[in-house]
Amino acid sequence: MATVAAIGTRTRVSGLALAGVDVLVAEDADAVRQAWRTLPRTVGLVILTAEAAEALRGAMTAPAPSRPLTVVMPG
């Protein structure tokens, strides 16, 4: 079964843990990219803050069969 993960600053994503989301706190662009690279294969959906999405620009849109679905939280 696929899981859900969230990447972003602690203040924006920590509450999602209450809903069972795997929270990956990333306070800067380098940490966002590191979190993205180390996502477990079981992750089927990634929730990103707007800042995290900006840090990942090309990585999110690069075609790959194993790339998880992504959504961006409103600013």
Side-chain angles (χ1 to χ4, degrees):
M1 176 188 278
T3 61
V4 178
I7 301 174
T9 59
R10 181 176 309 280
T11 57
R12 294 292 313 271
V13 299
S14 60
L16 296 171
L18 296 171
V21 174
D22 296 329
V23 171
L24 303 168
V25 174
E27 299 291 342
D28 60 47
D30 288 334
V32 169
R33 289 187 286 272
Q34 178 62 25
W36 179 262
R37 283 192 298 271
T38 60
L39 283 172
R41 288 188 148 320
T42 58
V43 173
L45 172 66
V46 180
I47 302 166
L48 300 168
T49 61
E51 296 81 8
E54 179 65 24
L56 290 173
R57 277 186 240 159
M60 284 184 357
T61 58
S66 61
R67 184 178 62 83
L69 177 67
T70 59
V71 295
V72 179
M73 297 169 69

